[in-house]
Amino acid sequence: PAALHLEEPNMAAATAGQESISNLLEELDNGFKTSSQDYKVLQRIFERIDFKKDNKIDKEELEHTLHSLGYEPVKVNQYGISEVEQMIWEVDQDSDGCVSLEEFELMFDRGRNDRTGHEPKKLFNLCQFMCLDKDGDGSISSEECMEMIMHRYGKQKLDEVFRNDGGEREITLSDFLAQVNRSQVVRGTTKKDGKRASVGGKMPSIKKR
């Protein structure tokens, strides 16, 4: 979600670490209530993206943020629009082509509490990465992950997540998106009676509220 950066080549440890982070994110998605502190963090992330300071995120600002994090968005996807345009379209409740702070917070609430796997999560995944990337250097370190896990879950969860960790490593936005997209596809395509959901070629639907 660019290659995984390792201090020493230990791919087994890196894979184990990615799976641990993916499992943790799944727990975060499953009904973790957004607190007042979380909303403050979301507002700071919104302000980081909104470099024009006009209280909305447009295509140019979102594209600039992705580039600054070392990620190259798709220029034309299977729906005939850019990846950045799709990220905005998925959460743009009033269809003005931008994302307001209210829409940004609603996106995070819906993504975090989604149990169906049907909520669009492109912008949500970026937001999660930026929450973890506290220093804004475009990568997540083991230290940043450990601080968040310790704060929210305690030492027992910290030991569980990092017991197979092979040492300090850096996870880029591209690494992160590849991992969470993989885990979301697995969860979202497994339906009742063990059947996989059909995947069509139309734009994904989203309920406007």
Side-chain angles (χ1 to χ4, degrees):
L4 190 67
H5 301 293
L6 302 170
E7 301 233 348
E8 295 294 336
N10 188 338
M11 296 309 295
T15 300
Q18 280 193 328
E19 290 174 353
S20 297
I21 292 169
S22 177
N23 291 337
L24 175 68
L25 291 170
E26 183 173 352
E27 291 183 24
L28 286 171
D29 288 350
N30 288 332
F32 190 89
K33 188 175 181 180
T34 307
S35 67
S36 58
Q37 182 61 36
D38 290 325
Y39 281 120
K40 290 180 181 178
V41 173
L42 285 176
Q43 184 167 359
R44 286 198 294 271
I45 292 173
F46 182 89
E47 290 170 354
R48 277 177 60 189
I49 301 174
D50 178 28
F51 66 79
K52 296 178 182 178
K53 305 305 177 188
D54 55 2
N55 299 314
K56 58 186 178 182
I57 295 172
D58 61 23
K59 178 184 174 183
E60 181 185 0
E61 290 170 320
L62 187 53
E63 196 168 54
H64 171 81
T65 298
L66 291 169
H67 286 154
S68 72
L69 294 172
Y71 180 79
E72 185 62 40
V74 175
K75 289 183 170 54
V76 180
N77 62 18
Q78 66 267 40
Y79 308 116
I81 61 175
S82 71
E83 185 175 4
V84 172
E85 288 172 321
Q86 185 180 347
M87 291 172 76
I88 292 174
W89 179 87
E90 288 177 344
V91 301
D92 182 14
Q93 299 289 309
D94 58 10
S95 301
D96 67 345
C98 301
V99 181
S100 66
L101 178 58
E102 181 181 2
E103 290 169 335
F104 194 74
E105 292 174 343
L106 178 61
M107 167 276 298
F108 192 80
D109 281 337
R110 292 174 66 173
R112 174 174 275 185
N113 292 289
D114 175 36
R115 287 179 170 81
T116 66
H118 294 159
E119 283 289 341
K121 289 191 175 179
K122 283 186 172 293
L123 188 55
F124 175 78
N125 290 336
L126 172 63
C127 186
Q128 277 198 319
F129 180 86
M130 293 181 74
C131 283
L132 292 170
D133 180 26
K134 292 183 179 180
D135 58 12
D137 68 349
S139 64
I140 302 171
S141 67
S142 298
E143 182 178 352
E144 286 171 319
C145 287
M146 290 169 72
E147 181 181 346
M148 183 273 291
I149 296 166
M150 184 72 176
H151 175 70
R152 290 185 175 178
Y153 295 98
K155 188 176 186 305
Q156 182 176 351
K157 173 60 71 175
L158 180 68
D159 292 340
E160 177 185 336
V161 170
F162 283 94
R163 65 180 172 223
N164 295 319
D165 189 13
E168 182 70 14
R169 65 184 181 282
E170 297 291 320
I171 299 173
T172 67
L173 176 58
S174 294
D175 299 323
F176 181 84
L177 293 179
Q179 184 62 32
V180 297
N181 289 336
R182 189 178 305 118
S183 65
Q184 286 166 1
V185 166
V186 170
R187 295 201 305 273
T189 55
T190 303
K191 300 298 180 181
K192 295 180 180 178
D193 303 322
K195 295 179 180 178
R196 291 174 64 86
S198 61
V199 179
K202 299 179 180 180
M203 282 286 284
S205 60
I206 180 171
K207 294 179 181 177
K208 301 290 185 181
R209 293 183 180 177

PDB file of all heavy atoms in Angstrom, residues 116 124 179:
ATOM      1  N   THR A 116     -20.229  -4.702   7.217  1.00  0.00           N
ATOM      2  CA  THR A 116     -20.681  -5.349   5.990  1.00  0.00           C
ATOM      3  C   THR A 116     -19.567  -5.492   4.970  1.00  0.00           C
ATOM      4  O   THR A 116     -19.648  -6.341   4.080  1.00  0.00           O
ATOM      5  CB  THR A 116     -21.815  -4.535   5.345  1.00  0.00           C
ATOM      6  OG1 THR A 116     -21.287  -3.267   4.903  1.00  0.00           O
ATOM      7  CG2 THR A 116     -22.946  -4.293   6.343  1.00  0.00           C
ATOM      8  N   PHE A 124     -10.684   6.555   3.977  1.00  0.00           N
ATOM      9  CA  PHE A 124     -10.572   6.036   5.348  1.00  0.00           C
ATOM     10  C   PHE A 124      -9.207   5.403   5.573  1.00  0.00           C
ATOM     11  O   PHE A 124      -8.566   5.619   6.615  1.00  0.00           O
ATOM     12  CB  PHE A 124     -11.678   5.010   5.589  1.00  0.00           C
ATOM     13  CG  PHE A 124     -11.590   4.313   6.922  1.00  0.00           C
ATOM     14  CD1 PHE A 124     -12.012   4.942   8.082  1.00  0.00           C
ATOM     15  CD2 PHE A 124     -11.097   3.017   7.014  1.00  0.00           C
ATOM     16  CE1 PHE A 124     -11.937   4.306   9.316  1.00  0.00           C
ATOM     17  CE2 PHE A 124     -11.017   2.371   8.234  1.00  0.00           C
ATOM     18  CZ  PHE A 124     -11.441   3.012   9.394  1.00  0.00           C
ATOM     19  N   GLN A 179      -1.659  -3.892   2.170  1.00  0.00           N
ATOM     20  CA  GLN A 179      -2.013  -4.812   3.243  1.00  0.00           C
ATOM     21  C   GLN A 179      -3.474  -4.678   3.655  1.00  0.00           C
ATOM     22  O   GLN A 179      -4.194  -5.670   3.761  1.00  0.00           O
ATOM     23  CB  GLN A 179      -1.097  -4.574   4.448  1.00  0.00           C
ATOM     24  CG  GLN A 179      -1.318  -5.546   5.601  1.00  0.00           C
ATOM     25  CD  GLN A 179      -1.034  -6.981   5.208  1.00  0.00           C
ATOM     26  OE1 GLN A 179      -0.167  -7.223   4.371  1.00  0.00           O
ATOM     27  NE2 GLN A 179      -1.759  -7.918   5.765  1.00  0.00           N
TER      28      GLN A 179
END
